[in-house]
Amino acid sequence: MDVILGAEAQQAARDGNAIVALESTVYSTLGLPAPHNEDALQGCLNAIRAVGAVPAVTAVIDGQLRAGLDDDDYPRLLAGTRKIAERDLAAAVATGLDVGVTTVSASLAIAAQAGIRAFATGGIGGVHRGSAVTGDVSADLGAIARHPVATFSAGAKSFLDLPMTLEKLEQLGVPVVGYQCDEFPAFTARSSGLPVPIRVDSADVVAAIVRVQTAANRGLLVVTPVPEGHALDQQLHDEALDTALAAADDAGVHGAAVTPFVLERIAHATEGRSLPANIALVVNNATLAAEVAIRIDE
Ligand code: PSU
Ligand code: MN
């Protein structure tokens, strides 16, 4: 499947400048409510450019796979309601889907196809609680393993089964690198209490690992906690999470709808206080991805 690069990304590719791919589900109505989605998007674009790299938002637009959007594409993306995982890409192209917002798995497929080796999200999908019964394991995990791209995230979303998510990453052969942290971050919380397998303190060393791993045609996960002072109060978070998970259960939500549903309920139950934390961590991940991306080719 061909990927169309945006004008800025095309120029960067010609000049040999670093490109950071961004997913788009988080910037759509499914990730963050307006106007926070636009703030997050703008924050990420600015942060990547400030480091000297070029952002490339991934999406399906008018049946085309895109890495890097034009100004008139952004409003359509922000209003997007169709969540596209990797398995949905072929049908989206074949049917000429107008706007599809891409999850981590679809974004990695697009980034890999475009030759981009750094990719930023908020928190990856993973093994859901109760997965032994539901079988709900995000396609993100397999995609992170398979595509030669480094994924930068604030750990995995807190409503997941984090020990199982780490086990699954190990099983899939995914290196998990903690950037300046000893413990696996839990999205809006700085830590899950679970150790990260590899701690690295410099962007140069992360870039070196990315270089080796992607040359072997495999991916990796680099995690960094939500910036200090932006983490959500733990008790508030835990209560909101219980409410959100119970609501998801009551509503019988399943499949791809679970993640947007729970994120929305957490925002509601925290009276919007999860949103600044969510934005801060997405921007922080984009910044680190750019810091590493500019060092990969050195
Ligand atoms: N991180 C966020 N908000 C999101 C997501 C991640 O801060 O909306 C999205 C990502 O696109 C991720 C997806 O790939 O949720 C996982 O969905 P699922 O659990 O259905 O695989
Ligand atoms: Mn799922």
Side-chain angles (χ1 to χ4, degrees), residues 129 156-162 186-189 232-249 259 261-263 265-270 274:
R129 298 181 189 187
K157 280 183 281 273
S158 50
F159 53 84
L160 299 170
D161 183 332
L162 296 180
F187 201 49
T188 54
L232 192 58
D233 177 76
Q234 193 63 41
Q235 197 185 337
L236 180 67
H237 168 271
D238 292 349
E239 285 168 14
L241 183 56
D242 288 344
T243 312
L245 290 175
D249 224 27
T259 295
F261 184 94
V262 175
L263 285 172
R265 286 306 172 113
I266 291 175
H268 187 79
T270 59
S274 65

PDB file of all heavy atoms in Angstrom, residues 129 156-162 186-189 232-249 259 261-263 265-270 274:
ATOM      1  N   ARG A 129      -7.928  -5.814  31.005  1.00  0.00           N
ATOM      2  CA  ARG A 129      -8.300  -6.606  32.184  1.00  0.00           C
ATOM      3  C   ARG A 129      -9.406  -7.566  31.764  1.00  0.00           C
ATOM      4  O   ARG A 129     -10.285  -7.192  30.996  1.00  0.00           O
ATOM      5  CB  ARG A 129      -8.788  -5.687  33.294  1.00  0.00           C
ATOM      6  CG  ARG A 129      -7.707  -4.720  33.747  1.00  0.00           C
ATOM      7  CD  ARG A 129      -8.194  -3.824  34.864  1.00  0.00           C
ATOM      8  NE  ARG A 129      -7.217  -2.773  35.120  1.00  0.00           N
ATOM      9  CZ  ARG A 129      -7.290  -1.908  36.115  1.00  0.00           C
ATOM     10  NH1 ARG A 129      -8.318  -1.938  36.953  1.00  0.00           N
ATOM     11  NH2 ARG A 129      -6.353  -0.993  36.272  1.00  0.00           N
ATOM     12  N   ALA A 156       1.497   2.299  29.100  1.00  0.00           N
ATOM     13  CA  ALA A 156       0.244   1.868  28.488  1.00  0.00           C
ATOM     14  C   ALA A 156      -0.902   2.445  29.311  1.00  0.00           C
ATOM     15  O   ALA A 156      -0.722   2.837  30.458  1.00  0.00           O
ATOM     16  CB  ALA A 156       0.169   0.353  28.450  1.00  0.00           C
ATOM     17  N   LYS A 157      -2.064   2.493  28.699  1.00  0.00           N
ATOM     18  CA  LYS A 157      -3.208   3.101  29.389  1.00  0.00           C
ATOM     19  C   LYS A 157      -3.523   2.374  30.691  1.00  0.00           C
ATOM     20  O   LYS A 157      -3.472   1.154  30.773  1.00  0.00           O
ATOM     21  CB  LYS A 157      -4.413   3.155  28.453  1.00  0.00           C
ATOM     22  CG  LYS A 157      -4.248   4.363  27.506  1.00  0.00           C
ATOM     23  CD  LYS A 157      -5.392   4.556  26.608  1.00  0.00           C
ATOM     24  CE  LYS A 157      -5.343   3.622  25.474  1.00  0.00           C
ATOM     25  NZ  LYS A 157      -4.675   3.874  24.304  1.00  0.00           N
ATOM     26  N   SER A 158      -3.848   3.167  31.714  1.00  0.00           N
ATOM     27  CA  SER A 158      -3.926   2.651  33.082  1.00  0.00           C
ATOM     28  C   SER A 158      -5.060   1.663  33.288  1.00  0.00           C
ATOM     29  O   SER A 158      -5.063   0.909  34.240  1.00  0.00           O
ATOM     30  CB  SER A 158      -4.094   3.826  34.037  1.00  0.00           C
ATOM     31  OG  SER A 158      -5.154   4.651  33.584  1.00  0.00           O
ATOM     32  N   PHE A 159      -6.048   1.662  32.391  1.00  0.00           N
ATOM     33  CA  PHE A 159      -7.157   0.731  32.585  1.00  0.00           C
ATOM     34  C   PHE A 159      -6.847  -0.659  32.040  1.00  0.00           C
ATOM     35  O   PHE A 159      -7.685  -1.546  32.066  1.00  0.00           O
ATOM     36  CB  PHE A 159      -8.448   1.284  31.966  1.00  0.00           C
ATOM     37  CG  PHE A 159      -8.328   1.690  30.535  1.00  0.00           C
ATOM     38  CD1 PHE A 159      -8.466   0.758  29.531  1.00  0.00           C
ATOM     39  CD2 PHE A 159      -8.077   3.010  30.205  1.00  0.00           C
ATOM     40  CE1 PHE A 159      -8.361   1.137  28.204  1.00  0.00           C
ATOM     41  CE2 PHE A 159      -7.961   3.399  28.874  1.00  0.00           C
ATOM     42  CZ  PHE A 159      -8.103   2.458  27.875  1.00  0.00           C
ATOM     43  N   LEU A 160      -5.618  -0.830  31.539  1.00  0.00           N
ATOM     44  CA  LEU A 160      -5.228  -2.134  31.023  1.00  0.00           C
ATOM     45  C   LEU A 160      -4.666  -3.010  32.144  1.00  0.00           C
ATOM     46  O   LEU A 160      -4.432  -2.547  33.260  1.00  0.00           O
ATOM     47  CB  LEU A 160      -4.173  -1.953  29.932  1.00  0.00           C
ATOM     48  CG  LEU A 160      -4.632  -1.143  28.729  1.00  0.00           C
ATOM     49  CD1 LEU A 160      -3.449  -0.808  27.838  1.00  0.00           C
ATOM     50  CD2 LEU A 160      -5.699  -1.903  27.957  1.00  0.00           C
ATOM     51  N   ASP A 161      -4.429  -4.263  31.831  1.00  0.00           N
ATOM     52  CA  ASP A 161      -3.720  -5.165  32.731  1.00  0.00           C
ATOM     53  C   ASP A 161      -2.227  -4.984  32.419  1.00  0.00           C
ATOM     54  O   ASP A 161      -1.707  -5.554  31.453  1.00  0.00           O
ATOM     55  CB  ASP A 161      -4.186  -6.604  32.462  1.00  0.00           C
ATOM     56  CG  ASP A 161      -3.549  -7.595  33.413  1.00  0.00           C
ATOM     57  OD1 ASP A 161      -2.421  -7.332  33.886  1.00  0.00           O
ATOM     58  OD2 ASP A 161      -4.175  -8.631  33.666  1.00  0.00           O
ATOM     59  N   LEU A 162      -1.560  -4.153  33.223  1.00  0.00           N
ATOM     60  CA  LEU A 162      -0.187  -3.774  32.878  1.00  0.00           C
ATOM     61  C   LEU A 162       0.823  -4.915  33.046  1.00  0.00           C
ATOM     62  O   LEU A 162       1.699  -5.074  32.180  1.00  0.00           O
ATOM     63  CB  LEU A 162       0.236  -2.518  33.651  1.00  0.00           C
ATOM     64  CG  LEU A 162      -0.592  -1.273  33.287  1.00  0.00           C
ATOM     65  CD1 LEU A 162      -0.130  -0.062  34.091  1.00  0.00           C
ATOM     66  CD2 LEU A 162      -0.506  -0.957  31.800  1.00  0.00           C
ATOM     67  N   ALA A 186       2.335   4.550  33.862  1.00  0.00           N
ATOM     68  CA  ALA A 186       0.940   4.136  33.667  1.00  0.00           C
ATOM     69  C   ALA A 186       0.109   5.313  33.171  1.00  0.00           C
ATOM     70  O   ALA A 186      -0.811   5.768  33.855  1.00  0.00           O
ATOM     71  CB  ALA A 186       0.369   3.556  34.948  1.00  0.00           C
ATOM     72  N   PHE A 187       0.525   5.881  32.025  1.00  0.00           N
ATOM     73  CA  PHE A 187      -0.269   6.894  31.341  1.00  0.00           C
ATOM     74  C   PHE A 187      -0.338   8.173  32.186  1.00  0.00           C
ATOM     75  O   PHE A 187       0.663   8.864  32.269  1.00  0.00           O
ATOM     76  CB  PHE A 187      -1.649   6.310  31.030  1.00  0.00           C
ATOM     77  CG  PHE A 187      -2.382   7.009  29.924  1.00  0.00           C
ATOM     78  CD1 PHE A 187      -1.778   7.285  28.711  1.00  0.00           C
ATOM     79  CD2 PHE A 187      -3.705   7.388  30.091  1.00  0.00           C
ATOM     80  CE1 PHE A 187      -2.473   7.924  27.688  1.00  0.00           C
ATOM     81  CE2 PHE A 187      -4.408   8.021  29.078  1.00  0.00           C
ATOM     82  CZ  PHE A 187      -3.794   8.284  27.884  1.00  0.00           C
ATOM     83  N   THR A 188      -1.457   8.489  32.823  1.00  0.00           N
ATOM     84  CA  THR A 188      -1.531   9.724  33.609  1.00  0.00           C
ATOM     85  C   THR A 188      -0.871   9.571  34.983  1.00  0.00           C
ATOM     86  O   THR A 188      -0.795  10.534  35.735  1.00  0.00           O
ATOM     87  CB  THR A 188      -2.986  10.199  33.790  1.00  0.00           C
ATOM     88  OG1 THR A 188      -3.748   9.129  34.349  1.00  0.00           O
ATOM     89  CG2 THR A 188      -3.595  10.618  32.464  1.00  0.00           C
ATOM     90  N   ALA A 189      -0.388   8.373  35.306  1.00  0.00           N
ATOM     91  CA  ALA A 189       0.385   8.169  36.538  1.00  0.00           C
ATOM     92  C   ALA A 189       1.846   7.943  36.153  1.00  0.00           C
ATOM     93  O   ALA A 189       2.131   7.305  35.136  1.00  0.00           O
ATOM     94  CB  ALA A 189      -0.148   6.971  37.309  1.00  0.00           C
ATOM     95  N   LEU A 232      -1.929  12.871  37.171  1.00  0.00           N
ATOM     96  CA  LEU A 232      -3.259  12.955  37.771  1.00  0.00           C
ATOM     97  C   LEU A 232      -3.179  12.418  39.196  1.00  0.00           C
ATOM     98  O   LEU A 232      -2.490  11.435  39.447  1.00  0.00           O
ATOM     99  CB  LEU A 232      -4.211  12.108  36.940  1.00  0.00           C
ATOM    100  CG  LEU A 232      -5.702  12.241  37.177  1.00  0.00           C
ATOM    101  CD1 LEU A 232      -6.159  13.677  36.959  1.00  0.00           C
ATOM    102  CD2 LEU A 232      -6.449  11.313  36.214  1.00  0.00           C
ATOM    103  N   ASP A 233      -3.860  13.088  40.121  1.00  0.00           N
ATOM    104  CA  ASP A 233      -3.916  12.607  41.509  1.00  0.00           C
ATOM    105  C   ASP A 233      -4.310  11.129  41.526  1.00  0.00           C
ATOM    106  O   ASP A 233      -5.306  10.738  40.899  1.00  0.00           O
ATOM    107  CB  ASP A 233      -4.927  13.445  42.291  1.00  0.00           C
ATOM    108  CG  ASP A 233      -5.091  12.948  43.707  1.00  0.00           C
ATOM    109  OD1 ASP A 233      -4.185  13.221  44.513  1.00  0.00           O
ATOM    110  OD2 ASP A 233      -6.099  12.258  43.982  1.00  0.00           O
ATOM    111  N   GLN A 234      -3.537  10.319  42.238  1.00  0.00           N
ATOM    112  CA  GLN A 234      -3.711   8.864  42.159  1.00  0.00           C
ATOM    113  C   GLN A 234      -5.087   8.411  42.640  1.00  0.00           C
ATOM    114  O   GLN A 234      -5.725   7.565  42.006  1.00  0.00           O
ATOM    115  CB  GLN A 234      -2.602   8.161  42.968  1.00  0.00           C
ATOM    116  CG  GLN A 234      -2.503   6.666  42.689  1.00  0.00           C
ATOM    117  CD  GLN A 234      -2.134   6.356  41.231  1.00  0.00           C
ATOM    118  OE1 GLN A 234      -1.281   7.030  40.649  1.00  0.00           O
ATOM    119  NE2 GLN A 234      -2.780   5.390  40.614  1.00  0.00           N
ATOM    120  N   GLN A 235      -5.538   8.998  43.746  1.00  0.00           N
ATOM    121  CA  GLN A 235      -6.828   8.564  44.290  1.00  0.00           C
ATOM    122  C   GLN A 235      -7.966   8.944  43.337  1.00  0.00           C
ATOM    123  O   GLN A 235      -8.871   8.151  43.063  1.00  0.00           O
ATOM    124  CB  GLN A 235      -7.054   9.181  45.663  1.00  0.00           C
ATOM    125  CG  GLN A 235      -8.152   8.458  46.436  1.00  0.00           C
ATOM    126  CD  GLN A 235      -8.463   9.150  47.754  1.00  0.00           C
ATOM    127  OE1 GLN A 235      -7.627   9.883  48.290  1.00  0.00           O
ATOM    128  NE2 GLN A 235      -9.661   8.926  48.275  1.00  0.00           N
ATOM    129  N   LEU A 236      -7.875  10.163  42.816  1.00  0.00           N
ATOM    130  CA  LEU A 236      -8.885  10.635  41.851  1.00  0.00           C
ATOM    131  C   LEU A 236      -8.906   9.705  40.640  1.00  0.00           C
ATOM    132  O   LEU A 236      -9.967   9.281  40.153  1.00  0.00           O
ATOM    133  CB  LEU A 236      -8.524  12.067  41.419  1.00  0.00           C
ATOM    134  CG  LEU A 236      -9.446  12.741  40.415  1.00  0.00           C
ATOM    135  CD1 LEU A 236     -10.808  12.991  41.037  1.00  0.00           C
ATOM    136  CD2 LEU A 236      -8.834  14.065  39.944  1.00  0.00           C
ATOM    137  N   HIS A 237      -7.711   9.377  40.176  1.00  0.00           N
ATOM    138  CA  HIS A 237      -7.585   8.487  39.026  1.00  0.00           C
ATOM    139  C   HIS A 237      -8.211   7.122  39.303  1.00  0.00           C
ATOM    140  O   HIS A 237      -8.996   6.603  38.504  1.00  0.00           O
ATOM    141  CB  HIS A 237      -6.122   8.322  38.653  1.00  0.00           C
ATOM    142  CG  HIS A 237      -5.898   7.208  37.676  1.00  0.00           C
ATOM    143  ND1 HIS A 237      -5.662   5.910  38.071  1.00  0.00           N
ATOM    144  CD2 HIS A 237      -5.930   7.187  36.327  1.00  0.00           C
ATOM    145  CE1 HIS A 237      -5.547   5.146  37.005  1.00  0.00           C
ATOM    146  NE2 HIS A 237      -5.700   5.891  35.933  1.00  0.00           N
ATOM    147  N   ASP A 238      -7.865   6.540  40.448  1.00  0.00           N
ATOM    148  CA  ASP A 238      -8.332   5.184  40.757  1.00  0.00           C
ATOM    149  C   ASP A 238      -9.851   5.136  40.856  1.00  0.00           C
ATOM    150  O   ASP A 238     -10.483   4.205  40.356  1.00  0.00           O
ATOM    151  CB  ASP A 238      -7.707   4.682  42.067  1.00  0.00           C
ATOM    152  CG  ASP A 238      -6.205   4.465  41.925  1.00  0.00           C
ATOM    153  OD1 ASP A 238      -5.710   4.504  40.775  1.00  0.00           O
ATOM    154  OD2 ASP A 238      -5.532   4.268  42.952  1.00  0.00           O
ATOM    155  N   GLU A 239     -10.428   6.160  41.487  1.00  0.00           N
ATOM    156  CA  GLU A 239     -11.890   6.203  41.616  1.00  0.00           C
ATOM    157  C   GLU A 239     -12.545   6.358  40.248  1.00  0.00           C
ATOM    158  O   GLU A 239     -13.534   5.686  39.934  1.00  0.00           O
ATOM    159  CB  GLU A 239     -12.306   7.350  42.541  1.00  0.00           C
ATOM    160  CG  GLU A 239     -12.036   7.028  44.016  1.00  0.00           C
ATOM    161  CD  GLU A 239     -12.154   8.246  44.928  1.00  0.00           C
ATOM    162  OE1 GLU A 239     -12.697   9.276  44.472  1.00  0.00           O
ATOM    163  OE2 GLU A 239     -11.678   8.151  46.072  1.00  0.00           O
ATOM    164  N   ALA A 240     -11.984   7.253  39.449  1.00  0.00           N
ATOM    165  CA  ALA A 240     -12.543   7.499  38.117  1.00  0.00           C
ATOM    166  C   ALA A 240     -12.463   6.235  37.264  1.00  0.00           C
ATOM    167  O   ALA A 240     -13.385   5.906  36.512  1.00  0.00           O
ATOM    168  CB  ALA A 240     -11.788   8.641  37.437  1.00  0.00           C
ATOM    169  N   LEU A 241     -11.348   5.531  37.425  1.00  0.00           N
ATOM    170  CA  LEU A 241     -11.147   4.312  36.637  1.00  0.00           C
ATOM    171  C   LEU A 241     -12.181   3.240  37.001  1.00  0.00           C
ATOM    172  O   LEU A 241     -12.766   2.600  36.122  1.00  0.00           O
ATOM    173  CB  LEU A 241      -9.728   3.787  36.875  1.00  0.00           C
ATOM    174  CG  LEU A 241      -9.341   2.559  36.066  1.00  0.00           C
ATOM    175  CD1 LEU A 241      -9.527   2.825  34.583  1.00  0.00           C
ATOM    176  CD2 LEU A 241      -7.902   2.180  36.360  1.00  0.00           C
ATOM    177  N   ASP A 242     -12.406   3.077  38.310  1.00  0.00           N
ATOM    178  CA  ASP A 242     -13.414   2.092  38.743  1.00  0.00           C
ATOM    179  C   ASP A 242     -14.779   2.435  38.154  1.00  0.00           C
ATOM    180  O   ASP A 242     -15.482   1.555  37.647  1.00  0.00           O
ATOM    181  CB  ASP A 242     -13.499   2.058  40.277  1.00  0.00           C
ATOM    182  CG  ASP A 242     -12.267   1.392  40.881  1.00  0.00           C
ATOM    183  OD1 ASP A 242     -11.546   0.709  40.123  1.00  0.00           O
ATOM    184  OD2 ASP A 242     -12.026   1.570  42.096  1.00  0.00           O
ATOM    185  N   THR A 243     -15.138   3.718  38.219  1.00  0.00           N
ATOM    186  CA  THR A 243     -16.416   4.176  37.660  1.00  0.00           C
ATOM    187  C   THR A 243     -16.481   3.877  36.160  1.00  0.00           C
ATOM    188  O   THR A 243     -17.480   3.365  35.647  1.00  0.00           O
ATOM    189  CB  THR A 243     -16.573   5.701  37.858  1.00  0.00           C
ATOM    190  OG1 THR A 243     -16.269   6.013  39.220  1.00  0.00           O
ATOM    191  CG2 THR A 243     -17.971   6.178  37.518  1.00  0.00           C
ATOM    192  N   ALA A 244     -15.396   4.197  35.457  1.00  0.00           N
ATOM    193  CA  ALA A 244     -15.358   4.043  33.999  1.00  0.00           C
ATOM    194  C   ALA A 244     -15.462   2.573  33.593  1.00  0.00           C
ATOM    195  O   ALA A 244     -16.205   2.222  32.669  1.00  0.00           O
ATOM    196  CB  ALA A 244     -14.073   4.657  33.448  1.00  0.00           C
ATOM    197  N   LEU A 245     -14.730   1.720  34.303  1.00  0.00           N
ATOM    198  CA  LEU A 245     -14.740   0.294  33.950  1.00  0.00           C
ATOM    199  C   LEU A 245     -16.105  -0.331  34.243  1.00  0.00           C
ATOM    200  O   LEU A 245     -16.601  -1.157  33.463  1.00  0.00           O
ATOM    201  CB  LEU A 245     -13.626  -0.452  34.694  1.00  0.00           C
ATOM    202  CG  LEU A 245     -12.207  -0.133  34.234  1.00  0.00           C
ATOM    203  CD1 LEU A 245     -11.179  -0.834  35.123  1.00  0.00           C
ATOM    204  CD2 LEU A 245     -11.989  -0.523  32.776  1.00  0.00           C
ATOM    205  N   ALA A 246     -16.720   0.088  35.355  1.00  0.00           N
ATOM    206  CA  ALA A 246     -18.057  -0.422  35.689  1.00  0.00           C
ATOM    207  C   ALA A 246     -19.068   0.016  34.628  1.00  0.00           C
ATOM    208  O   ALA A 246     -19.919  -0.762  34.189  1.00  0.00           O
ATOM    209  CB  ALA A 246     -18.475   0.073  37.071  1.00  0.00           C
ATOM    210  N   ALA A 247     -18.934   1.274  34.184  1.00  0.00           N
ATOM    211  CA  ALA A 247     -19.846   1.797  33.157  1.00  0.00           C
ATOM    212  C   ALA A 247     -19.679   1.032  31.844  1.00  0.00           C
ATOM    213  O   ALA A 247     -20.664   0.710  31.165  1.00  0.00           O
ATOM    214  CB  ALA A 247     -19.601   3.286  32.943  1.00  0.00           C
ATOM    215  N   ALA A 248     -18.437   0.718  31.491  1.00  0.00           N
ATOM    216  CA  ALA A 248     -18.169  -0.024  30.250  1.00  0.00           C
ATOM    217  C   ALA A 248     -18.814  -1.405  30.326  1.00  0.00           C
ATOM    218  O   ALA A 248     -19.405  -1.887  29.358  1.00  0.00           O
ATOM    219  CB  ALA A 248     -16.662  -0.148  30.022  1.00  0.00           C
ATOM    220  N   ASP A 249     -18.698  -1.999  31.497  1.00  0.00           N
ATOM    221  CA  ASP A 249     -19.286  -3.315  31.734  1.00  0.00           C
ATOM    222  C   ASP A 249     -20.803  -3.259  31.591  1.00  0.00           C
ATOM    223  O   ASP A 249     -21.406  -4.056  30.864  1.00  0.00           O
ATOM    224  CB  ASP A 249     -18.922  -3.755  33.161  1.00  0.00           C
ATOM    225  CG  ASP A 249     -18.488  -5.207  33.186  1.00  0.00           C
ATOM    226  OD1 ASP A 249     -17.987  -5.675  32.151  1.00  0.00           O
ATOM    227  OD2 ASP A 249     -18.677  -5.856  34.235  1.00  0.00           O
ATOM    228  N   THR A 259     -11.709   1.408  24.309  1.00  0.00           N
ATOM    229  CA  THR A 259     -10.738   2.442  24.665  1.00  0.00           C
ATOM    230  C   THR A 259     -11.347   3.853  24.615  1.00  0.00           C
ATOM    231  O   THR A 259     -11.247   4.587  25.609  1.00  0.00           O
ATOM    232  CB  THR A 259      -9.469   2.316  23.782  1.00  0.00           C
ATOM    233  OG1 THR A 259      -8.842   1.062  24.090  1.00  0.00           O
ATOM    234  CG2 THR A 259      -8.487   3.449  24.027  1.00  0.00           C
ATOM    235  N   PHE A 261     -14.428   4.716  24.892  1.00  0.00           N
ATOM    236  CA  PHE A 261     -15.466   4.779  25.926  1.00  0.00           C
ATOM    237  C   PHE A 261     -14.845   5.038  27.299  1.00  0.00           C
ATOM    238  O   PHE A 261     -15.263   5.934  28.029  1.00  0.00           O
ATOM    239  CB  PHE A 261     -16.267   3.465  25.943  1.00  0.00           C
ATOM    240  CG  PHE A 261     -17.420   3.459  26.913  1.00  0.00           C
ATOM    241  CD1 PHE A 261     -18.699   3.812  26.504  1.00  0.00           C
ATOM    242  CD2 PHE A 261     -17.222   3.102  28.253  1.00  0.00           C
ATOM    243  CE1 PHE A 261     -19.764   3.811  27.412  1.00  0.00           C
ATOM    244  CE2 PHE A 261     -18.279   3.101  29.155  1.00  0.00           C
ATOM    245  CZ  PHE A 261     -19.548   3.454  28.732  1.00  0.00           C
ATOM    246  N   VAL A 262     -13.836   4.255  27.643  1.00  0.00           N
ATOM    247  CA  VAL A 262     -13.224   4.385  28.971  1.00  0.00           C
ATOM    248  C   VAL A 262     -12.513   5.732  29.119  1.00  0.00           C
ATOM    249  O   VAL A 262     -12.620   6.393  30.152  1.00  0.00           O
ATOM    250  CB  VAL A 262     -12.264   3.203  29.256  1.00  0.00           C
ATOM    251  CG1 VAL A 262     -11.536   3.405  30.574  1.00  0.00           C
ATOM    252  CG2 VAL A 262     -13.040   1.888  29.286  1.00  0.00           C
ATOM    253  N   LEU A 263     -11.807   6.174  28.057  1.00  0.00           N
ATOM    254  CA  LEU A 263     -11.119   7.478  28.126  1.00  0.00           C
ATOM    255  C   LEU A 263     -12.128   8.596  28.378  1.00  0.00           C
ATOM    256  O   LEU A 263     -11.884   9.502  29.176  1.00  0.00           O
ATOM    257  CB  LEU A 263     -10.366   7.755  26.816  1.00  0.00           C
ATOM    258  CG  LEU A 263      -9.066   6.966  26.594  1.00  0.00           C
ATOM    259  CD1 LEU A 263      -8.545   7.197  25.182  1.00  0.00           C
ATOM    260  CD2 LEU A 263      -8.007   7.342  27.618  1.00  0.00           C
ATOM    261  N   ARG A 265     -15.092   8.350  29.791  1.00  0.00           N
ATOM    262  CA  ARG A 265     -15.640   8.234  31.142  1.00  0.00           C
ATOM    263  C   ARG A 265     -14.655   8.714  32.207  1.00  0.00           C
ATOM    264  O   ARG A 265     -15.041   9.293  33.215  1.00  0.00           O
ATOM    265  CB  ARG A 265     -16.061   6.789  31.431  1.00  0.00           C
ATOM    266  CG  ARG A 265     -17.331   6.378  30.723  1.00  0.00           C
ATOM    267  CD  ARG A 265     -18.442   7.377  31.046  1.00  0.00           C
ATOM    268  NE  ARG A 265     -19.620   7.142  30.263  1.00  0.00           N
ATOM    269  CZ  ARG A 265     -20.785   6.721  30.774  1.00  0.00           C
ATOM    270  NH1 ARG A 265     -20.921   6.530  32.062  1.00  0.00           N
ATOM    271  NH2 ARG A 265     -21.801   6.536  29.982  1.00  0.00           N
ATOM    272  N   ILE A 266     -13.382   8.453  31.989  1.00  0.00           N
ATOM    273  CA  ILE A 266     -12.377   8.926  32.950  1.00  0.00           C
ATOM    274  C   ILE A 266     -12.364  10.463  32.946  1.00  0.00           C
ATOM    275  O   ILE A 266     -12.336  11.101  34.000  1.00  0.00           O
ATOM    276  CB  ILE A 266     -10.969   8.358  32.638  1.00  0.00           C
ATOM    277  CG1 ILE A 266     -10.952   6.847  32.928  1.00  0.00           C
ATOM    278  CG2 ILE A 266      -9.894   9.069  33.450  1.00  0.00           C
ATOM    279  CD1 ILE A 266      -9.658   6.146  32.561  1.00  0.00           C
ATOM    280  N   ALA A 267     -12.412  11.046  31.746  1.00  0.00           N
ATOM    281  CA  ALA A 267     -12.445  12.514  31.640  1.00  0.00           C
ATOM    282  C   ALA A 267     -13.661  13.056  32.387  1.00  0.00           C
ATOM    283  O   ALA A 267     -13.571  14.033  33.143  1.00  0.00           O
ATOM    284  CB  ALA A 267     -12.485  12.938  30.168  1.00  0.00           C
ATOM    285  N   HIS A 268     -14.790  12.397  32.209  1.00  0.00           N
ATOM    286  CA  HIS A 268     -16.030  12.829  32.848  1.00  0.00           C
ATOM    287  C   HIS A 268     -15.927  12.699  34.370  1.00  0.00           C
ATOM    288  O   HIS A 268     -16.233  13.634  35.111  1.00  0.00           O
ATOM    289  CB  HIS A 268     -17.185  11.979  32.304  1.00  0.00           C
ATOM    290  CG  HIS A 268     -18.529  12.435  32.744  1.00  0.00           C
ATOM    291  ND1 HIS A 268     -19.169  13.510  32.168  1.00  0.00           N
ATOM    292  CD2 HIS A 268     -19.335  11.991  33.742  1.00  0.00           C
ATOM    293  CE1 HIS A 268     -20.321  13.696  32.782  1.00  0.00           C
ATOM    294  NE2 HIS A 268     -20.453  12.784  33.744  1.00  0.00           N
ATOM    295  N   ALA A 269     -15.466  11.539  34.817  1.00  0.00           N
ATOM    296  CA  ALA A 269     -15.427  11.268  36.261  1.00  0.00           C
ATOM    297  C   ALA A 269     -14.379  12.111  36.999  1.00  0.00           C
ATOM    298  O   ALA A 269     -14.481  12.320  38.200  1.00  0.00           O
ATOM    299  CB  ALA A 269     -15.182   9.782  36.507  1.00  0.00           C
ATOM    300  N   THR A 270     -13.372  12.605  36.268  1.00  0.00           N
ATOM    301  CA  THR A 270     -12.378  13.474  36.912  1.00  0.00           C
ATOM    302  C   THR A 270     -12.720  14.939  36.662  1.00  0.00           C
ATOM    303  O   THR A 270     -11.909  15.821  36.923  1.00  0.00           O
ATOM    304  CB  THR A 270     -10.946  13.217  36.387  1.00  0.00           C
ATOM    305  OG1 THR A 270     -10.934  13.455  34.967  1.00  0.00           O
ATOM    306  CG2 THR A 270     -10.485  11.797  36.659  1.00  0.00           C
ATOM    307  N   SER A 274      -8.346  14.810  33.881  1.00  0.00           N
ATOM    308  CA  SER A 274      -7.452  13.875  33.191  1.00  0.00           C
ATOM    309  C   SER A 274      -6.914  14.498  31.895  1.00  0.00           C
ATOM    310  O   SER A 274      -5.889  14.061  31.376  1.00  0.00           O
ATOM    311  CB  SER A 274      -8.183  12.574  32.855  1.00  0.00           C
ATOM    312  OG  SER A 274      -9.220  12.801  31.913  1.00  0.00           O
TER     313      SER A 274
END
